[in-house]
Amino acid sequence: MASVAAWLPFARAAAIGWVPIATHPLPPPPVPKDRRRAEDEKLLINVSGRRFETWRNTLEKYPDSLLGSSEREFFYDEDSREYFFDRDPDIFRHILNYYRTGKLHYPKHECLTGYDEELAFFGILPDVIGDCCYEDYRDRKRENAERLMDDKLSEAGDQSLPQLTDLRQKMWRAFENPHTSTAALVFYYVTGFFIAVSVMANVVETVPCGHRPGRAGTLPCGERYKIVFFCLDTACVMIFTAEYLLRLFAAPDRCKFVRSVMSIIDVVAILPYYIGLGITDNDDVSGAFVTLRVFRVFRIFKFSRHSQGLRILGYTLKSCASELGFLVFSLAMAIIIFATVMFYAEKNEQDTNFTSIPAAFWYTIVTMTTLGYGDMVPGTIAGKIVGGVCSLSGVLVIALPVPVIVSNFSRIYHQNQRADKRKAQRKARLARIRIAKASSGAAFVSKKKAAEARLAAQESGVELDDAGRDEDIFELQHHHLLRCLERTTMKVKVSSKPDHVTRSPTPHEYDARASHLQPLLDV
Amino acid sequence: MATPPESPVEEHAYELEPSRTPKPIPVALEELCRQTKFSKQEIRVMYRGFKTECPEGVVQEDSFKDIYAKFFPHGNSALYAHYVFKAFDVNCSGAISFRELLVTLSTLLRGSVYERLRWAFRLYDVDGDGAITRQELAEVVVAVHELLGRRAPPGSPAARLDDAKANEQVDRVFRKLDLNQDGVITIEEFLESCLKDDAITRSLQMFDSAL
């Protein structure tokens, strides 16, 4: 570490203090072989036109980097006696400051990959970035890595499209991404429709449809049109069962599928029907049968396959489990405290509703959530005071965790939106790249053909009128290289698309090419 | 019961530090050149290094300890750094200015044997009363040993052996330096006994070197 070197003379001087207590004479100091240059010289560094000057010692502080080692001599310009680098001068400023102050900073407005490239060029590891900028750098790097991984995954997903031949895999992909084929889309909409129909049927079943014959009271539609509703229910359950079995068949990992949340919802949705079929119309168990009907409402959760927002909500609730837990716990605490106080305050009142502490729970909940049904009201003054405090504190306790949950939801929702946007942009970007590649490839092939035609014309002695066209020497050499390759492999490169293999030349083409080789071979 | 709205509750508001005392302007280069035995170029090089490390123009004791820690990373250099700092800080201001540093360095690197021994005496005389007691000597010796670091955990037999060796060294040195055996070493005794010892004089002269 070179900053230590600046203090070396002083440390050596302080070593005099050890002399009186030393038991043996101290060893002599090292004598430098040659008189080191007493003068420190300034070096000129030219980075894309911007000139930097610094002491040689400053650069040699870090001898394992490009500027500190002899590697910089490769960039020395003899004529102007300076070191020339054709790199970004803005980023170089930070790199030079690293030599000067020992701290490498990361500018927030620079692109991470560009910065990384400069660091790699100058032989500096990103680990030496100072604490002040390291967090920022690491966050940006992680974002970048995630984006790259995302791209790679979706590319891999895209590329695997034409290779699925297995029926199982095709079905699974159709189930997971309805947009891949028309059949999948149709299936998606049909199941969605039947979920809606089933839920609607459950709801309409309970609507009063007329009067009971012979008795007072209304008759719900479910009992009046028993057969109709039963048929509807059967049809829906058939569809759901078929869907579940198909998914089970197509799943790549059946155990994992069976344990997943969606499959459990599916099972809970269709099981009551089958259990209901099994149970006979016995009075003892009809109570249980009615309970089972309640579970039919879980069919509505099947919609979460169809709605991304619902999935995000579920995911948010899962990730906010601790906040929700805190909410429930604090509410429970507050309820118990206030209910107890309320009970003891109202116990001795006449005709009071507060007959026990659990009875006071209901009052506390209704008051804390500021519902205030009014079915239980305190009578004593103490009870009223406690009721007031209860409602005020209820507002606070419930309002506290809510913003956390909301911000979590917002963050996850935006993340999802960003991922979708990135996917859409990626498709557009890849399409752009493909078009650019194709056009440049076509331009290249046409140029090559023109050059060959010109060469053939030259060889056969035809005068060219546009002989003054200056062609890029690089392109000329590139064409020449390709021609050599063609001669070697006896193939002609026709198209610009990379996956179309070059085709062998037709005999006519080959003759035409070989014809002007003939005179050369004869000699 | 109501708190006034401006008072922060449980928040440590960040207050900007009050502007520091104006830094001392270093003595002019010419004068430093006159007062010390260094050449202008040497002073320039040293000042550049000094200014980079301590932009305020003075070295605080903490920076001193850091510098020593860099030189002796294996041990605990804080104790010895403290003694050296005290020895350098001529006017006991709590911070070493460039001038003080340079003057002391000039004494130590370019001065005579007398001057070096006198500085060493000041190093060992912890309380500055003009006499080194056995306690003071023991403290400094322990600090020097600490520079290398303890190779054994404290309390183990190896550590006790190290301590015993250190104590024995202290005894030996004290007996040698304390000529009239009165329990303290005065500056005259120190100078006399050190000058008589060949090994010490030779080692002192070894520090005659350029930067």
Side-chain angles (χ1 to χ4, degrees):
Chain A
M1 261 276 291
S3 68
V4 174
W7 293 101
L8 189 60
F10 141 78
R12 281 166 51 78
I16 285 183
W18 307 337
V19 171
I21 58 174
T23 35
H24 311 287
L26 303 174
V31 175
K33 281 282 170 58
D34 52 354
R35 220 38 230 143
R36 269 193 39 177
R37 38 183 190 276
E39 293 289 321
D40 197 5
E41 51 168 329
K42 279 197 278 204
L43 299 178
L44 197 68
I45 304 177
N46 183 352
V47 183
S48 302
R50 211 188 293 182
R51 287 189 160 69
F52 298 88
E53 279 187 68
T54 183
W55 297 108
R56 176 194 297 267
N57 276 353
T58 313
L59 290 182
E60 293 185 345
K61 270 194 213 169
Y62 301 106
D64 49 358
S65 57
L66 186 150
L67 288 172
S69 64
S70 55
E71 199 180 341
R72 65 169 184 249
E73 301 302 323
F74 286 111
F75 298 93
Y76 190 65
D77 185 355
E78 305 279 345
D79 302 324
S80 44
R81 304 172 70 79
E82 62 186 13
Y83 295 91
F84 181 73
F85 295 99
D86 200 8
R87 313 287 300 189
D88 189 353
D90 291 326
I91 299 184
F92 185 76
R93 186 171 66 89
H94 296 280
I95 291 176
L96 196 55
N97 276 339
Y98 170 57
Y99 287 90
R100 289 182 181 137
T101 62
K103 283 208 271 274
L104 180 63
H105 293 283
Y106 169 60
K108 293 184 179 36
H109 58 268
E110 292 288 347
C111 171
L112 184 84
T113 32
Y115 189 74
D116 266 346
E117 277 171 13
E118 295 294 314
L119 284 187
F121 180 82
F122 285 102
I124 297 174
L125 293 173
D127 305 332
V128 301
I129 292 184
D131 287 334
C132 42
C133 301
Y134 195 61
E135 284 295 326
D136 203 31
Y137 176 79
R138 225 183 26 184
D139 287 340
R140 296 268 291 256
K141 194 148 200 180
R142 207 179 332 127
E143 266 179 42
N144 231 17
E146 279 173 3
R147 186 176 55 83
L148 283 173
M149 211 163 48
D150 238 1
D151 275 353
K152 234 183 282 195
L153 278 178
S154 6
E155 254 186 52
D158 266 355
Q159 272 164 16
S160 66
L161 268 177
Q163 283 142 17
L164 287 183
T165 48
D166 193 4
L167 177 68
R168 264 181 74 180
Q169 283 179 318
K170 272 204 277 211
M171 281 176 64
W172 182 248
R173 212 190 58 226
F175 283 142
E176 293 298 300
N177 301 350
H179 300 281
T180 45
S181 67
T182 355
L185 213 55
V186 164
F187 181 77
Y188 176 77
Y189 283 124
V190 161
T191 43
F193 172 72
F194 271 99
I195 296 174
V197 160
S198 162
V199 169
M200 289 290 292
N202 279 348
V203 166
V204 169
E205 244 183 10
T206 59
V207 169
C209 249
H211 289 282
R212 274 187 210 278
R215 276 196 291 176
T218 52
L219 187 69
C221 281
E223 286 189 28
R224 188 152 158 193
Y225 302 103
K226 219 179 184 124
I227 308 289
V228 176
F229 279 106
F230 182 72
C231 291
L232 209 54
D233 205 23
T234 313
C236 293
V237 169
M238 288 292 119
I239 305 272
F240 295 154
T241 320
E243 184 206 350
Y244 181 70
L245 289 176
L246 282 176
R247 274 184 208 263
L248 189 62
F249 167 67
D253 185 358
R254 295 222 173 102
C255 293
K256 195 167 81 128
F257 173 74
V258 167
R259 279 193 306 236
S260 73
V261 174
M262 289 311 303
S263 94
I264 291 179
I265 291 179
D266 288 339
V267 168
V268 168
I270 58 179
L271 221 43
Y273 175 79
Y274 290 111
I275 296 181
L277 280 185
I279 295 180
T280 57
D281 248 335
N282 211 338
D283 268 338
D284 294 339
V285 294
S286 68
F289 182 57
V290 167
T291 324
L292 276 177
R293 285 185 156 195
V294 170
F295 282 97
R296 289 189 302 175
V297 81
F298 278 94
R299 286 178 199 165
I300 206 167
F301 282 117
K302 287 166 71 73
F303 264 130
S304 56
R305 272 211 186 91
H306 297 249
S307 155
Q308 199 188 17
L310 208 57
R311 266 205 301 269
I312 294 177
L313 184 62
Y315 185 65
T316 310
L317 290 177
K318 197 164 60 152
S319 72
C320 298
S322 66
E323 276 82 29
L324 286 176
F326 163 68
L327 176 64
V328 168
F329 177 69
S330 57
L331 268 180
M333 252 177 34
I335 288 173
I336 293 178
I337 292 175
F338 280 111
T340 313
V341 175
M342 208 59 202
F343 171 69
Y344 282 113
E346 290 283 311
K347 205 167 70 149
N348 297 320
E349 175 86 354
Q350 254 187 341
D351 296 329
T352 186
N353 280 331
F354 296 88
T355 50
S356 66
I357 294 185
F361 279 169
W362 174 242
Y363 168 75
T364 319
I365 293 176
V366 166
T367 314
M368 280 186 91
T369 52
T370 68
L371 280 173
Y373 288 136
D375 53 350
M376 289 165 84
V377 272
T380 58
I381 298 188
K384 288 187 178 155
I385 294 175
V386 172
V389 173
C390 177
S391 77
L392 287 173
S393 64
V395 171
L396 274 177
V397 167
I398 292 186
L400 278 175
V402 170
V404 177
I405 299 175
V406 166
S407 77
N408 256 352
F409 178 79
S410 164
R411 178 177 56 87
I412 295 174
Y413 185 69
H414 281 126
Q415 248 177 22
N416 246 311
Q417 279 206 321
R418 249 204 315 265
D420 288 341
K421 210 188 331 180
R422 231 184 289 144
K423 275 203 195 93
Q425 278 175 354
R426 198 183 55 83
K427 280 204 172 69
R429 186 162 48 95
L430 283 181
R432 252 201 335 262
I433 291 174
R434 234 173 289 141
I435 292 174
K437 242 194 260 184
S439 69
S440 76
F444 180 76
V445 168
S446 68
K447 261 195 165 156
K448 185 163 151 302
K449 283 213 169 66
E452 279 180 9
R454 231 190 328 228
L455 210 61
Q458 252 177 4
E459 281 174 12
S460 48
V462 172
E463 272 304 313
L464 292 171
D465 43 353
D466 52 350
R469 174 139 27 129
D470 49 346
E471 264 210 14
D472 187 11
I473 185 69
F474 172 70
E475 279 196 25
L476 281 174
Q477 296 199 345
H478 195 186
H479 294 156
H480 174 251
L481 211 56
L482 282 174
R483 274 203 303 279
C484 296
L485 185 62
E486 281 173 15
R487 297 282 158 78
T488 317
T489 57
M490 309 304 250
K491 278 206 183 100
V492 174
K493 186 164 167 63
V494 268
S495 72
S496 56
K497 290 206 201 115
D499 38 23
H500 275 67
V501 184
T502 57
R503 63 167 175 81
S504 301
T506 61
H508 173 72
E509 235 175 69
Y510 190 56
D511 281 345
R513 280 166 187 281
S515 62
H516 68 267
L517 266 184
Q518 222 34 45
L520 296 173
L521 290 176
D522 283 344
V523 170
Chain B
M1 199 161 114
T3 51
E6 294 89 63
S7 65
V9 183
E10 281 288 29
E11 240 177 39
H12 299 283
Y14 176 70
E15 279 164 18
L16 287 172
E17 285 169 7
S19 52
R20 299 195 197 97
T21 52
K23 67 177 176 69
I25 303 173
V27 185
L29 185 58
E30 320 287 341
E31 218 181 301
L32 277 176
C33 205
R34 262 203 317 264
Q35 282 174 359
T36 66
K37 298 194 182 74
F38 293 119
S39 74
K40 268 198 193 168
Q41 188 53 29
E42 291 172 333
I43 298 180
R44 278 200 194 107
V45 171
M46 276 198 288
Y47 187 72
R48 256 188 258 138
F50 179 81
K51 181 79 176 170
T52 316
E53 286 294 312
C54 312
E56 295 101 26
V58 289
V59 192
Q60 308 285 350
E61 188 163 343
D62 292 328
S63 339
F64 226 70
K65 292 195 174 141
D66 284 339
I67 293 162
Y68 257 92
K70 281 193 213 144
F71 273 108
F72 305 104
H74 302 294
N76 176 20
S77 50
L79 278 172
Y80 189 65
H82 170 72
Y83 293 128
V84 175
F85 185 84
K86 234 175 30 56
F88 264 82
D89 192 8
V90 176
N91 54 358
C92 299
S93 55
I96 303 178
S97 69
F98 185 64
R99 195 178 144 280
E100 287 173 339
L101 187 71
L102 217 55
V103 162
T104 316
L105 273 183
S106 158
T107 319
L108 291 174
L109 293 177
R110 304 275 165 88
S112 70
V113 176
Y114 277 109
E115 291 171 342
R116 293 179 197 177
L117 282 173
R118 226 188 291 274
W119 186 84
F121 183 83
R122 227 188 36 246
L123 175 71
Y124 285 96
D125 187 15
V126 176
D127 51 8
D129 58 359
I132 305 177
T133 63
R134 194 187 173 287
Q135 179 59 28
E136 290 173 343
L137 188 67
E139 278 176 25
V140 180
V141 169
V142 162
V144 173
H145 278 254
E146 286 274 310
L147 279 177
L148 267 183
R150 290 184 166 278
R151 262 150 312 159
S156 73
R160 275 200 290 273
L161 196 62
D162 284 339
D163 286 339
K165 274 211 296 233
N167 271 328
E168 185 242 314
Q169 184 178 20
V170 172
D171 282 331
R172 197 169 17 93
V173 172
F174 199 79
R175 255 196 319 261
K176 187 172 73 169
L177 294 178
D178 190 11
L179 293 173
N180 57 359
Q181 304 291 328
D182 59 353
V184 291
I185 305 177
T186 62
I187 178 76
E188 296 86 18
E189 288 174 356
F190 187 75
L191 284 172
E192 209 184 310
S193 48
C194 282
L195 287 171
K196 269 202 302 227
D197 190 340
D198 255 348
I200 292 182
T201 10
R202 227 173 329 134
S203 306
L204 276 179
Q205 267 150 6
M206 187 186 70
F207 285 93
D208 271 343
S209 63
L211 297 167

